[in-house]
Amino acid sequence: MKGLDEYFLKTGFYDLLPQATQLAEELGYDQSEMMEAICKVSDKYYQYPPTRNRTAWFKRVFMEKLAEARADILAFRLKDAKG
């Protein structure tokens, strides 16, 4: 899981990695989807940072971005498969 650690460290959310891992596992997401999602969370953080509870904000946004990440990855794989 070294790659996942690096993504969370570089985006500034390393402290929330255990929570994110548990949440992703409970929802059935894999490591590649988590990597894509944390990048999306980081982008949103710089546009709309949390004003009160960073942990609650992260959980809500990470769940949203996991779904987006899965959709993006599936779309890419479909496009790649069609050539």
Side-chain angles (χ1 to χ4, degrees), residues 32-58:
S32 63
E33 293 163 332
M34 289 179 67
M35 288 177 180
E36 181 70 23
I38 194 60
C39 292
K40 293 175 179 294
V41 169
S42 181
D43 290 344
K44 187 160 187 168
Y45 181 82
Y46 288 106
Q47 291 178 334
Y48 306 104
T51 56
R52 294 185 187 175
N53 186 334
R54 179 176 170 266
T55 304
W57 176 92
F58 176 83

